[in-house]
Amino acid sequence: MLKVNDLHVWYELKKFGFGHAGYVRAVDGVSFELTKGESIACVGESGCGKSSLMKAILRLNKPTKGTIDFNGIDVGSLGGEDLKAYRSEVGFIQQDPFGALAPFMTIRQILEEPLIINGVSNADERLKKVERIMEEVKLTPIAEIINKFPHMLSGGQQQRVVIARAMILEPKLLVADEPVSMLDASVRVEILKLLRNLQEKHNLAVIYITHDLSTVRYFSEYIFVMYAGQIVEFAPIRDLLQNPTHPYTRALLEASGDPDAKNALEYKEIPPGEPPSLVNPPSGCRFHPRCKFAIKGKCDVDMPKPMPVVDGSNMAITGNKHVAACWLVEEEWKNHAELAN
Ligand code: SF4
């Protein structure tokens, strides 16, 4: 359904007055695929490029290089009615539900708006669709809620309105940007379960964007970890949690306090230092200034390419599609070859 191929999103920096002062390489060569009904989590610290990737998929910005293919359509080249049709197939759930809802509109008006924009002119038909989706996301009792304004609802109810608005046009792909990070802990799991139910019922593809690894197990089949605009590890979720391989992934797992992060114990916290400048990223592996496993003369010189991960216990490729961009993986394969000989 969705094929992101060698995507680059760069922002030009202007010198004061005029002139060119370089580029911020927010997304720098990202590729992944998503099939109908699958969910994938995109994880990383602030500034790793998650938001720019999300905006490119929503076509809120244009790729600088590379392509986003949605059911055979080149998203980057869309405009006018074609872009409007694409956006009706991609639902978007924002992080801050209160900020995402117009304060002067009732819940009915908020949920009817996408239908009006997309040509559903019959008011009775619109009302039926609004009531159906409110029922589905458990915004009940409907009669009590439908004419309220957003500020009259709890944070969890507001996020259900955002989800209902994203779902009302029956999209095929849902992009959820930190959908529970601004909610109380007590309602987070409920909202994640609701999203999971919607995904299964409608066979939706979902991209779940988060900085919090502890929530991805509720939701995603696959996961990729981003650092400084690039994917450093990609895996089925269980493989990544059981066998995190890239030192940055292991540091994130350790920081998340995930009790299943058995292999993530070398770091007691996210390694010191900041994510690097995206204008002049470090040579070689972009994580090398913070990595305590960095190999001098190699990690700071050559950029590692994604390689299939080796399972240390049986020296087999783990799971399906587990890859990490780290020279340690190449070292593991060399050890594997030596043992085999
Ligand atoms: Fe660390 Fe080197 Fe692996 Fe980068 S390639 S994560 S610097 S060991």
Side-chain angles (χ1 to χ4, degrees):
M1 172 183 280
L2 184 76
K3 190 170 182 178
V4 176
N5 185 33
D6 194 28
L7 184 72
H8 292 66
V9 181
W10 290 10
Y11 303 111
E12 188 175 6
L13 286 175
K14 300 272 187 201
K15 275 191 187 146
F16 186 68
F18 63 91
H20 170 76
Y23 292 95
V24 178
R25 303 172 187 199
V27 179
D28 209 18
V30 163
S31 303
F32 70 93
E33 293 180 19
L34 192 57
T35 305
K36 191 175 179 186
E38 273 181 359
S39 63
I40 194 166
C42 166
V43 180
E45 286 171 284
S46 298
C48 71
K50 307 187 297 282
S51 298
S52 293
L53 172 63
M54 174 193 76
K55 284 180 184 162
I57 291 167
L58 294 167
R59 246 315 295 278
L60 299 173
N61 58 26
K62 270 192 156 191
T64 312
K65 189 181 144 197
T67 54
I68 300 168
D69 184 298
F70 180 77
N71 284 331
I73 297 163
D74 176 14
V75 172
S77 66
L78 292 176
E81 286 299 309
D82 291 338
L83 181 55
K84 189 170 147 189
Y86 169 69
R87 289 195 174 136
S88 73
E89 302 217 55
V90 182
F92 179 38
I93 299 170
Q94 290 98 324
Q95 181 177 17
D96 172 12
F98 189 65
L101 300 173
F104 50 83
M105 291 169 80
T106 64
I107 304 311
R108 175 174 176 174
Q109 288 170 329
I110 288 168
L111 296 179
E112 277 192 303
E113 193 179 38
L115 297 170
I116 293 168
I117 291 170
N118 283 276
V120 183
S121 55
N122 183 301
D124 289 341
E125 189 185 342
R126 287 201 303 269
L127 182 57
K128 267 191 202 148
K129 283 179 184 278
V130 166
E131 288 177 341
R132 197 184 313 142
I133 198 70
M134 287 181 72
E135 186 79 48
E136 205 173 338
V137 302
K138 301 197 169 43
L139 270 170
T140 52
I142 293 171
E144 262 181 37
I145 295 175
I146 194 165
N147 292 315
K148 284 188 172 174
F149 292 92
H151 73 272
M152 301 161 88
L153 305 183
S154 68
Q157 286 175 318
Q158 287 169 2
Q159 194 58 302
R160 287 175 196 273
V161 177
V162 172
I163 293 168
R165 184 176 60 183
M167 290 295 301
I168 200 154
L169 294 175
E170 299 172 22
K172 296 188 174 73
L173 169 67
L174 210 52
V175 179
D177 178 21
E178 308 259 14
V180 296
S181 66
M182 298 191 73
L183 301 179
D184 291 341
S186 57
V187 292
R188 281 184 191 173
V189 173
E190 276 177 40
I191 294 292
L192 288 171
K193 281 184 179 162
L194 170 64
L195 288 170
R196 183 83 203 181
N197 290 342
L198 290 171
Q199 186 214 351
E200 285 172 359
K201 183 173 171 192
H202 297 277
N203 202 20
L204 281 169
V206 180
I207 302 175
Y208 174 54
I209 293 165
T210 182
H211 68 279
D212 181 4
L213 264 164
S214 66
T215 59
V216 296
R217 66 173 62 247
Y218 287 103
F219 204 60
S220 309
E221 280 114 27
Y222 293 94
I223 182 168
F224 62 86
V225 178
M226 283 188 76
Y227 186 77
Q230 299 178 327
I231 293 178
V232 296
E233 187 159 4
F234 180 101
I237 186 77
R238 189 176 295 186
D239 286 10
L240 187 122
L241 293 176
Q242 288 179 350
N243 186 25
T245 296
H246 195 283
Y248 179 62
T249 307
R250 287 149 68 179
L252 278 183
L253 272 168
E254 174 66 14
S256 76
D258 191 314
D260 283 355
K262 299 184 191 80
N263 301 314
L265 300 176
E266 284 88 348
Y267 286 114
K268 294 298 170 208
E269 54 190 17
I270 291 285
E274 299 280 320
S277 158
L278 296 177
V279 181
N280 292 304
S283 58
C285 171
R286 291 185 177 176
F287 190 56
H288 86 258
R290 299 170 79 187
C291 181
K292 71 181 199 179
F293 303 107
I295 306 162
K296 214 169 168 8
K298 183 157 190 168
C299 295
D300 51 342
V301 177
D302 298 325
M303 186 181 287
K305 296 264 180 290
M307 284 193 69
V309 164
V310 182
D311 181 330
S313 58
N314 60 15
M315 304 310 285
I317 297 176
T318 55
N320 177 23
K321 297 184 185 171
H322 188 172
V323 294
C326 172
W327 290 119
L328 297 179
V329 178
E330 191 190 62
E331 295 294 313
E332 285 279 322
W333 277 107
K334 277 188 195 156
N335 293 340
H336 182 199
E338 278 167 21
L339 281 177
N341 290 329

